[in-house]
């Protein structure tokens, strides 16, 4: 039998296919290498500040009294809410017979409309409510309701004052009794029943069970002895705020140097300075703010939510993760010299002994990061421990000793990393504020966030 010939297998590969496979393998290797690398994050330096503050809700203490009517009847007021009244000035009248009330009702029916000015007052109050309302400021709803009610009730009172002479002729002076203010002060028609509250009576329950202001005015007949308005005397008032033990200690320590503090009122974003002192009372801690102004601004408030600014630091804001430490040498300023064609002192003279035993000087460029009155902090790859520096005249030498550490960041404005020293001013967990004047960075510099993943002079892009 004839032997069967073995068939040989030949692989024929197209040159284009081979090149394609090589490109695919290269791209896959590059992608895997890229995915394995730590990703760099870059941050742009911004101007900002860190505010150290304490927030809290305080209770208002002021000299105020409720004034009661001595006669039964219908009360009609001659002054508006928040008006300043002099001593013996007319605040209201008492309609003992009801005739004046009947007259006013007839006048209102004739008027049968609300003036444009009156409409604008109501619309303005609704606008303020709309802009300032939040779920955290729900009490504003009640305040607005009281304000609008006060405005509408004031129309009747205004009408009474405008027609006083006609009423006297029609019904005689005995138709109503005039009531005068016992003292000078601000008139308010709202009350929460806490007018006699004093510092010694303040407790935790006062901040838990907050009493709302109620309007004392009514179109119903009032009995003798009923409160008809609140009189607030003078401009002095206090805000007593409960604080925790830690904040109390911080404020107490600050009080040794400064007795005033900046206060921001969240109700209307008003900022003012106040005298303050700390108080421990019944196992609770308080800070008491004292004011001699703005009492009319918060006339109908009992509680105010405020922020106390302990300190405010301005500078350049950078993330804490961008900080890095660099080892440098500390040398006397006199050992910095000018370069060949430069007027800047960014060189040092390194002294060495040649083969002939002669002392020779060679210049080396250094990066100067930080300086004070007598010393500079420098870095150069040419400097090591034991290197001898010399002044140009060789009269003084300085031997490099142990390295020091300075704090800084890497900036990448030109595509490669450059170390810049910073001077820390304030720091929290995520960010820090550095001095714009004494740091090497500037506004809008681009810095590396994850600084532990790069080295100096590393090309980034």
């Amino acid at each position: 039998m004839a032997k069967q010939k073995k068939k040989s297998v030949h692989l024929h590969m197209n040159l284009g296919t081979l090149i394609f496979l090589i490109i695919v393998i290269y791209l896959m290797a590059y992608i895997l290498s890229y995915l394995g690398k730590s990703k760099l994050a870059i941050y742009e330096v911004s101007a900002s500040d860190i505010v150290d503050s304490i927030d809290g809700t305080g209770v208002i203490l002021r000299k105020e009294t409720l004034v009661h009517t001595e006669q039964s009847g219908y009360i009609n007021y001659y002054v508006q809410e928040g008006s300043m009244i002099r001593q013996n000035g007319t605040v209201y009248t008492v309609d003992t017979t009801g005739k004046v009330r009947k007259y006013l009702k007839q006048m209102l029916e004739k008027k049968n409309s609300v003036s444009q000015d009156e409409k604008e007052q109501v619309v303005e109050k609704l606008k303020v409510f709309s802009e300032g309302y939040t779920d955290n400021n729900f009490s504003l709803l009640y305040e607005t309701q009281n304000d609008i009610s006060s405005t509408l009730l004031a129309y009747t009172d205004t009408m009474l004052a405008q027609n006083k002479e006609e009423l006297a002729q029609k019904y005689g002076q005995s138709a109503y009794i005039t009531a005068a203010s016992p003292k000078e002060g601000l008139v308010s028609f709202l009350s929460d029943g806490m007018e006699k509250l004093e510092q010694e009576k303040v407790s935790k329950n006062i901040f838990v069970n907050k009493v709302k202001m109620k309007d004392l005015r009514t179109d119903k007949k009032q009995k003798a002895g009923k409160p008809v308005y609140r009189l607030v005397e003078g401009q002095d008032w206090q805000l007593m705020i409960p604080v925790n033990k830690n904040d109390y200690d911080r404020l107490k320590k600050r009080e040794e140097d400064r007795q005033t503090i900046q206060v921001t009122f969240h109700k209307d974003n008003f900022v003012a300075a106040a005298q303050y002192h700390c108080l421990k009372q019944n196992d609770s801690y308080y800070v008491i703010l004292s004011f001699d102004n703005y009492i009319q601004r918060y006339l109908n408030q009992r509680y105010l939510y405020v922020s106390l600014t302990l300190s405010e630091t301005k500078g350049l804001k950078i993330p804490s993760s961008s900080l890095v430490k660099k080892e440098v040498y500390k040398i006397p300023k006199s050992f910095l010299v000018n370069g060949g064609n430069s007027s800047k002192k960014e060189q040092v003279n390194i002294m060495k002994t040649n083969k002939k035993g002669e002392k020779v000087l060679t210049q080396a460029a250094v990066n100067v990061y930080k300086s004070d009155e007598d010393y500079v902090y420098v870095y150069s790859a040419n400097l090591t421990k034991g290197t001898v520096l010399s002044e140009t005249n060789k009269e003084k030498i300085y031997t490099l000793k142990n390295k020091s550490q300075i704090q800084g960041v890497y900036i990448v404005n030109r595509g490669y990393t450059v170390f810049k020293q910073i001077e820390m001013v304030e720091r929290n967990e995520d960010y820090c504020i550095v001095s714009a004047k004494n740091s090497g960075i500037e506004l809008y510099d681009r810095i590396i966030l994850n600084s532990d993943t790069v080295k100096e002079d590393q090309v980034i892009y």
Side-chain angles (χ1 to χ4, degrees):
M1 290 181 65
K3 292 183 179 181
Q4 190 175 3
K5 293 183 179 179
K6 294 182 179 180
K7 294 182 178 179
S8 59
V9 180
H10 297 282
L11 278 175
H12 298 283
M13 184 174 290
N14 185 280
L15 182 61
T17 304
L18 179 61
I19 294 173
F20 175 75
L21 288 174
I22 292 172
I23 292 174
V24 170
I25 293 171
Y26 174 79
L27 289 175
M28 289 181 66
Y30 179 81
I31 291 170
L32 291 172
S33 174
Y34 175 78
L35 292 175
K37 288 183 178 178
S38 298
K39 304 301 181 294
L40 289 178
I42 297 175
Y43 173 87
E44 190 175 83
V45 176
S46 60
S48 188
D49 58 277
I50 290 180
V51 178
D52 183 13
S53 64
I54 296 173
D55 296 344
T57 298
V59 62
I60 292 178
L61 309 175
R62 56 199 160 204
K63 190 175 181 181
E64 54 189 339
T65 54
L66 278 180
V67 180
H68 302 76
T69 178
E70 296 179 358
Q71 299 285 335
S72 296
Y74 298 94
I75 307 298
N76 295 295
Y77 296 95
Y78 270 74
V79 295
Q80 292 187 346
E81 170 71 34
S83 298
M84 174 64 74
I85 190 75
R86 59 179 175 80
Q87 186 176 2
N88 297 321
T90 301
V91 181
Y92 66 96
T93 61
V94 182
D95 174 12
T96 57
T97 64
K99 293 179 180 179
V100 174
R101 181 171 178 268
K102 184 178 179 181
Y103 169 81
L104 290 174
K105 186 178 180 181
Q106 292 173 350
M107 291 293 293
L108 284 172
E109 289 175 352
K110 287 181 180 179
K111 183 179 179 183
N112 199 30
S113 65
V114 179
S115 69
Q116 184 62 32
D117 181 59
E118 294 164 350
K119 289 178 183 178
E120 288 177 356
Q121 288 185 53
V122 175
V123 170
E124 182 62 28
K125 292 180 187 300
L126 290 173
K127 182 181 178 183
V128 172
F129 167 76
S130 176
E131 293 175 349
Y133 177 78
T134 64
D135 291 340
N136 295 328
N137 192 19
F138 188 75
S139 61
L140 184 62
L141 177 63
Y142 299 104
E143 294 172 18
T144 304
Q145 182 181 357
N146 286 333
D147 283 347
I148 293 175
S149 297
S150 299
T151 302
L152 296 175
L153 283 169
Y155 300 156
T156 306
D157 302 332
T158 302
M159 193 175 296
L160 175 63
Q162 291 174 347
N163 297 274
K164 185 178 178 181
E165 293 182 2
E166 184 179 340
L167 283 168
Q169 292 177 1
K170 188 175 182 67
Y171 300 109
Q173 294 288 351
S174 61
Y176 57 87
I177 299 171
T178 301
S181 175
K183 296 179 181 179
E184 181 181 87
L186 291 169
V187 174
S188 172
F189 302 126
L190 301 181
S191 168
D192 56 7
M194 296 174 64
E195 288 77 19
K196 294 183 179 180
L197 181 64
E198 297 176 350
Q199 177 183 302
E200 295 76 13
K201 297 179 182 178
V202 174
S203 64
K204 293 180 180 178
N205 291 334
I206 285 177
F207 299 95
V208 176
N209 304 313
K210 297 179 181 177
V211 182
K212 293 183 176 63
M213 290 277 184
K214 294 181 179 178
D215 203 322
L216 298 172
R217 290 170 296 182
T218 177
D219 57 357
K220 297 179 180 179
K221 188 175 183 179
Q222 289 277 41
K223 293 182 179 180
K226 285 287 186 179
V228 288
Y229 70 94
R230 178 167 54 100
L231 186 66
V232 179
E233 299 176 53
Q235 287 292 320
D236 295 334
W237 59 287
Q238 293 181 321
L239 188 66
M240 192 167 177
I241 309 166
V243 294
N244 58 41
K245 178 63 166 60
N246 181 54
D247 288 341
Y248 174 85
D249 290 339
R250 293 167 66 201
L251 287 163
K252 190 74 175 175
K253 184 177 180 180
R254 184 184 184 277
E255 190 181 3
E256 296 173 2
D257 300 320
R258 287 172 287 179
Q259 287 79 43
T260 60
I261 195 165
Q262 179 178 295
V263 184
T264 301
F265 297 87
H266 287 263
K267 175 178 171 58
D268 51 6
N269 292 320
F270 180 66
V271 180
Q275 296 281 334
Y276 81 97
H277 69 274
C278 301
L279 173 70
K280 184 179 179 182
Q281 179 173 285
N282 300 326
D283 297 324
S284 297
Y285 299 94
Y286 299 94
V287 57
I288 301 176
L289 309 178
S290 298
F291 300 90
D292 58 7
N293 205 343
Y294 323 117
I295 195 165
Q296 191 166 9
R297 195 182 192 102
Y298 306 109
L299 179 65
N300 292 326
Q301 308 297 315
R302 180 62 63 187
Y303 298 93
L304 288 173
Y305 179 52
V306 298
S307 291
L308 310 180
T309 302
L310 276 68
S311 65
E312 186 173 3
T313 307
K314 297 183 180 294
L316 300 176
K317 179 181 177 182
I318 62 173
S320 299
S321 63
S322 65
L323 298 176
V324 63
K325 289 185 177 179
K326 187 174 185 63
E327 292 187 332
V328 295
Y329 285 105
K330 178 182 176 182
I331 66 171
K333 275 186 173 180
S334 60
F335 287 87
L336 278 182
V337 296
N338 299 336
N341 297 317
S342 174
S343 59
K344 294 183 179 180
K345 293 187 175 182
E346 296 176 337
Q347 306 273 339
V348 291
N349 293 320
I350 298 177
M351 178 179 283
K352 293 183 179 180
T353 305
N354 62 17
K355 294 180 180 180
K356 297 179 181 180
E358 298 172 335
K359 302 293 184 180
V360 294
L361 302 180
T362 58
Q363 281 197 336
V366 295
N367 291 326
V368 181
Y369 294 117
K370 182 181 177 182
S371 65
D372 52 38
E373 291 183 4
D374 301 314
Y375 292 91
V376 290
Y377 296 80
V378 300
Y379 171 81
S380 172
N382 297 312
L383 302 182
T384 58
K385 185 178 180 180
T387 299
V388 178
L389 304 182
S390 172
E391 292 184 347
T392 305
N393 57 16
K394 299 183 183 180
E395 290 182 0
K396 291 183 180 180
I397 62 171
Y398 182 83
T399 303
L400 296 183
K401 301 174 184 178
N402 296 328
K403 292 181 178 179
S404 300
Q405 283 190 334
I406 59 172
Q407 202 167 41
V409 295
Y410 289 124
I411 68 169
V412 285
N413 295 343
R414 298 182 179 180
Y416 58 91
T417 58
V418 177
F419 178 84
K420 293 290 184 180
Q421 170 266 339
I422 59 99
E423 182 179 292
M424 186 81 67
V425 178
E426 194 74 43
R427 180 177 180 176
N428 59 26
E429 187 176 347
D430 300 318
Y431 289 92
C432 54
I433 301 296
V434 303
S435 170
K437 182 179 179 181
N438 299 321
S439 298
I441 62 174
E442 297 178 355
L443 190 63
Y444 308 126
D445 275 347
R446 304 175 76 230
I447 64 175
I448 299 293
L449 275 176
N450 41 344
S451 56
D452 56 343
T453 62
V454 297
K455 297 179 180 180
E456 190 165 10
D457 296 324
Q458 179 177 330
V459 177
I460 304 302
Y461 55 84

